[in-house]
Amino acid sequence: MINMHTTLRAKNGSALELKTPVMSASGTFGYGTEFMPYGDISKLGAIIVKGLSLKPRAGNPLPRIAETPCGMLNAVGLQNDGVEAFISQKLPLLPASEVPIIANIYATSAEDFAELANVLSHEEKVSALEVNISCPNVKAGGVLFGQNPLMAGSIVQAVKKNAGSLPVIVKLSPNVTNIAEMAKAIEEAGADMISCINTITGMAVDIRSRKPLLANIVGGLSGPAVKPVALRCVWQVAQTVSIPVIGIGGIASAKDVLEFILVGASAVEIGTASFTDPAAIFKIIQDLPGLCEELGVKNLEQYRNSLITG
Amino acid sequence: MINMHTTLRAKNGSALELKTPVMSASGTFGYGTEFMPYGDISKLGAIIVKGLSLKPRAGNPLPRIAETPCGMLNAVGLQNDGVEAFISQKLPLLPASEVPIIANIYATSAEDFAELANVLSHEEKVSALEVNISCPNVKAGGVLFGQNPLMAGSIVQAVKKNAGSLPVIVKLSPNVTNIAEMAKAIEEAGADMISCINTITGMAVDIRSRKPLLANIVGGLSGPAVKPVALRCVWQVAQTVSIPVIGIGGIASAKDVLEFILVGASAVEIGTASFTDPAAIFKIIQDLPGLCEELGVKNLEQYRNSLITG
Amino acid sequence: MENAPILPIRAELAVTDLIPFGYDKERSFFALTLARPQWAEWKPGQFIMLRPNSWNCELTWARPFSICRVTPQSLVLFFQVAGRGTKEIAKLKPKDTVTVWGPLGTHFAVENKPTLLLAGGIGIAPFAGYVEQHPVQNQLSMFFSHRLPEQYYPVESLTRHIEVETRYEQKQEDLTGTIQTIRQKMEETAKKNGLVLACGPMPFLKTVWKNALELNVSAQLSLEQRMACGIGACLGCVSVTSALYPDKEKAGLPVQTCTKGPVFWAHELNLDAQ
Amino acid sequence: MENAPILPIRAELAVTDLIPFGYDKERSFFALTLARPQWAEWKPGQFIMLRPNSWNCELTWARPFSICRVTPQSLVLFFQVAGRGTKEIAKLKPKDTVTVWGPLGTHFAVENKPTLLLAGGIGIAPFAGYVEQHPVQNQLSMFFSHRLPEQYYPVESLTRHIEVETRYEQKQEDLTGTIQTIRQKMEETAKKNGLVLACGPMPFLKTVWKNALELNVSAQLSLEQRMACGIGACLGCVSVTSALYPDKEKAGLPVQTCTKGPVFWAHELNLDAQ
Ligand SMILES: Cc1cc2nc3c(=O)[nH]c(=O)nc-3n(C[C@H](O)[C@H](O)[C@H](O)COP(=O)(O)OP(=O)(O)OC[C@H]3O[C@@H](n4cnc5c(N)ncnc54)[C@H](O)[C@@H]3O)c2cc1C
Ligand SMILES: Cc1cc2nc3c(=O)[nH]c(=O)nc-3n(C[C@H](O)[C@H](O)[C@H](O)COP(=O)(O)OP(=O)(O)OC[C@H]3O[C@@H](n4cnc5c(N)ncnc54)[C@H](O)[C@@H]3O)c2cc1C
Ligand SMILES: Cc1cc2nc3c(=O)[nH]c(=O)nc-3n(C[C@H](O)[C@H](O)[C@H](O)COP(=O)(O)O)c2cc1C
Ligand SMILES: Cc1cc2nc3c(=O)[nH]c(=O)nc-3n(C[C@H](O)[C@H](O)[C@H](O)COP(=O)(O)O)c2cc1C
Ligand code: FES
Ligand code: FES
């Protein structure tokens, strides 16, 4: 069986060591414990928890989710109990010695991002930060930060300065004219890694009630429907930056994982697929070595970015 | 049976009178004649033909198309015989007295766009122009024009100046950070109508051959998968401009048509659905009045933009 | 609900039977029987998430259904065709397999006091198992309002054990009658210091909720919200609690209907916030 | 191909039968029988687009299949499971319905001269009808190379009428033999001033194409390209023509395989441009 071990190296030389390149995507895996009945969460590459803010957030009104062809829309609006409750109540329950725990963070100002980074950098059980500057479902901050290279850069710098030795992953939005340009700005601002994509802004309506299917009117599209867009984004970003790229968007099988690695991803995150089946991520992790063997892939690092375009 | 007649009014007061708000989308309906065995093409709202350029274009190498979850990618690259061949060979075959024929045009410079407009404005059988500044599958022009409000504006002005009395529809790309801003610029530049969306840039790969599924590597995503993005774009554009908006993206049923009208579209175009079933557009046109009746919609203009968001 | 949580499991189960109860131009009703999952325990009011294994990715989510009944051999669900997913589920055939995770969520309280069961339409589903498992069935009575003929619903399995008053709502006026009956029966239950359990569509539940607060009667409501995961992870299904919610940190805030519900005490909810 | 075009129609047809020819760990083969569409005319080499009515929108396109045989009652196709779509098509049952449009595209020439049929694998499909309809069957001979045992393919229906030489390719070396046999048989046909008709995978067709140009023998090839519409509208399926293409404006340019093909004269194609 080929070894799936994956090293994501940060700029300062520190590294995230993953048993497998497959992690959970923020907001789709709760705080990890929700999935314990369905598989061994310590087998994941890493657990990326639901987005955290400094203060608790109630999120958006209902309805918050809608099913769409091969995908879904969500406008949860970053409901969470705040970083303190996470540290005191959720973090202790997680098997952090066996699997890296990555905190996904969200704030409405560079100062708050800095403080979140600072608070989390003192938690031994946290292995990295993923900075969400790409949420389309909040009025302040969110995707607005992720659509402006200057604003994004200043947030990355603020987080980096306060993250201590924690690797900083910056999560990009596909809702931009030029994602490569954003990635470049973020790399230059000092990010250790880039993950993409967050959701694509979308909408659904009911012709009978004449109401939007989401109370927030617009929401973020995810699931297999967005996979072609996500693959394109990862490919464009991986061609542009030299830091590790983490692929996200519609991944639902080991085959999908290899597609993202082929176009340049070092690792991937599984989102919506965990709703379709709570065992999906465990099955993907289990299937991956066998599929590599079948394809004669001896080494993921060699397969990575080996797309034949000539 | 409620009347589906739809008037798309241009700025100069002239108007496109449609029997039904349902038209064919460029590049998915050939030159119209291809569909004659499957329905009466004179029953369409309008026939928008395959994109025309001044000179013939061979398009991109194969493979040019790939199937994706609830959608497809294409990188046809605007293969066409050129505007002269269209006028001499295709246009005479079309029932232009019964159904408006709309020429979709593509060029790599404002001058060429102007000349195309000029040539077509002398053709009695052409009822309007649709300006494609949003094709993601060509190296020059294409979506680059559609991603820059200044460039887009100058093309719109060039076309308008040379289009005589023909209404000018400008087709927008979803591959932008802010589609409302683009729409505003295009309205200000003098466009008579806006259509959106063109395809979303995407990609697909084969993990065995390690090759992209398209020779062009990236292509444009269309079909039901993009409908939530298209609805959001149409809604954002319709909130911003006061000229008519034509909705496109993943429409496959009469219900989908009403969704786009509900969020502000005055008319719609059917694209990929015509591949899934060559009779799709005829069925949609046939089903629409009955669905309106069922919903108690007496009048499309009243239903239009009547989304309840409060 | 106060006891140790019941651990859910995920299983791929074979369909053993699908029995139509009735067709209407708008709705059709089915009892779906699956092979019994290896559950150690379950309690009426809990639900499962179900997704046929034959589905491709067009329909993204599993669908939530109340557990109707569990026998040594089988898990029985009762459902109506409401949209695309249930239409497909209604096409299942014996030997087809489905992926099920559960039992999920909270359950109805069982107390040795007069207990009024209020069911609206398909909301009758969880009460079949509740009645069968109840240790003192003569404490139970039910009022069931429905829009389609009675034979479309599994009423018979209930009348075998308890007294059921039904109202076939055919006209708008019948709805007013239903609302009056609910009020009157809840008043009686309040006088007897009894318990009210309700399951049905949201307007029905709002009526019960308002009465429960006004009459100060113990009442539990089973809520339906759109669900993606069913296990508390997506935060799509939240309901807003009242100031009386026992977890003080969550009082007045949205909590997951799939894990903190679907069965809530009426006074712990703020249905006006929906 | 020179005659008036055959008008296609779209029809919803019932499946009447689906007969498995053979299973393998990689591929399985089926003959699919549909109710006969109301076609006025069709010619061997033409194809149809087929999409099961039960498909939801996950699979966007119909699938192209050669017309194998048309009887007074039925339309028969022969297909192998190649991917997701054909896997689903292999699950069709009698009475299921499919949407079919056709007959589409160009057809094989019928000439009263020695005619060599070259089939690779599933490329045998269009030849069943060709042989049956041919007015002078003793002019026909076939060479059929295949990777799975012969009984997986509808060979018997051909050997009833004509002489068929088959090669079961089990090892890499067998492929070399196939290429030699093709060369030798095409040389013989060239000497007899005969006609070659070929259908099979692209590498197979390239071999035939090169030989045809070198030996200057009349040859037609049936090409397979990914198709979305099948009717010339999407421009997804183009093949590049040679300088000898009769429509001078299209010579050397891409033309739709679905309407200008799938059957092309070898010298009118430039397969090196693919
Ligand atoms: C805890 C719980 C228990 C339930 N128990 C039963 C039962 O025993 N029998 C039964 O017939 N129905 C039950 N329902 C409702 C049932 O889940 C929906 O009717 C079903 O999901 C509709 O799916 P659809 O694809 O047919 O409808 P669509 O309208 O096409 O579904 C679109 C989306 O909306 C959701 N949705 C639609 N209607 C409802 C609804 N009323 N409640 C929640 N989500 C909805 C679907 O799950 C799906 O995600 C229950 C719902 C919940 C939350
Ligand atoms: C004119 C024509 C006639 C054909 N006749 C037959 C026949 O009689 N019997 C038969 O078994 N097969 C035939 N084929 C090939 C058959 O269409 C493909 O095997 C089938 O489309 C594969 O679909 P899939 O979903 O199983 O594979 P997937 O690989 O999942 O399909 C993905 C996409 O690629 C396309 N595709 C995949 N393989 C091919 C291929 N070899 N040629 C063209 N498109 C392909 C599919 O249509 C689909 O759009 C013919 C193809 C053409 C163009
Ligand atoms: C319900 C839901 C909640 C999400 N919450 C977050 C979040 O809190 N932070 C974040 O960075 N991304 C969030 N996302 C985005 C996902 O992490 C992921 O980027 C996106 O869903 C695309 O991946 P997928 O197609 O595999 O779902 C959320 C997505 C969904 C569907
Ligand atoms: C094969 C193909 C070719 C297309 N060619 C053109 C074109 O020439 N000009 C143009 O403006 N849009 C073109 N489009 C875009 C469509 O007109 C339409 O905007 C898009 O496909 C979204 O609609 P749909 O989801 O209904 O297909 C093409 C789309 C496809 C799939
Ligand atoms: S359904 Fe996902 S949290 Fe309840
Ligand atoms: S398949 Fe569409 S042009 Fe041939």
Side-chain angles (χ1 to χ4, degrees), chain A residues 27 34-35 37-38 58 62-68 70-72 76 79 81 89 213 272 275-279 283, chain C residues 8-10 51 57-61 63 101 104 225-229 231-236 238 249-250 253-254:
Chain A
E34 291 86 346
F35 285 80
Y38 309 104
L62 279 217
R64 290 175 168 186
I65 54 174
E67 206 181 28
T68 65
C70 285
M72 66 177 281
V76 167
Q79 176 184 340
D81 298 344
Q89 291 164 30
L213 286 186
T272 301
F275 303 154
T276 307
D277 183 346
K283 281 202 275 184
Chain C
I9 61 173
R10 173 191 173 282
R51 195 169 187 277
C57 72
E58 205 226 62
L59 293 177
T60 309
W61 301 331
R63 296 296 188 262
W101 54 103
L104 301 169
Q225 305 285 14
R226 268 183 230 158
M227 292 183 176
C229 69
I231 62 173
C234 73
L235 301 178
V238 292
E249 285 177 24
K250 297 287 165 87
L253 291 173

Side-chain angles (χ1 to χ4, degrees), chain A residues 222-238:
Chain A
S222 62
V226 310
K227 198 183 70 172
V229 179
L231 275 170
R232 183 264 299 173
C233 287
V234 168
W235 185 72
Q236 289 177 334
V237 170

Side-chain angles (χ1 to χ4, degrees), chain B residues 90-141:
Chain B
K90 307 291 182 182
L91 201 49
L93 305 177
L94 290 173
S97 58
E98 293 163 68
V99 53
I101 310 299
I102 300 179
N104 177 280
I105 58 174
Y106 162 78
T108 54
S109 69
E111 294 69 47
D112 284 4
F113 265 118
E115 193 175 334
L116 269 167
N118 183 30
V119 171
L120 287 160
S121 71
H122 295 100
E123 291 305 318
E124 222 178 293
K125 283 190 147 197
V126 172
S127 291
L129 301 178
E130 183 178 51
V131 185
N132 179 0
I133 52 166
S134 42
C135 180
N137 300 324
V138 289
K139 298 244 151 48

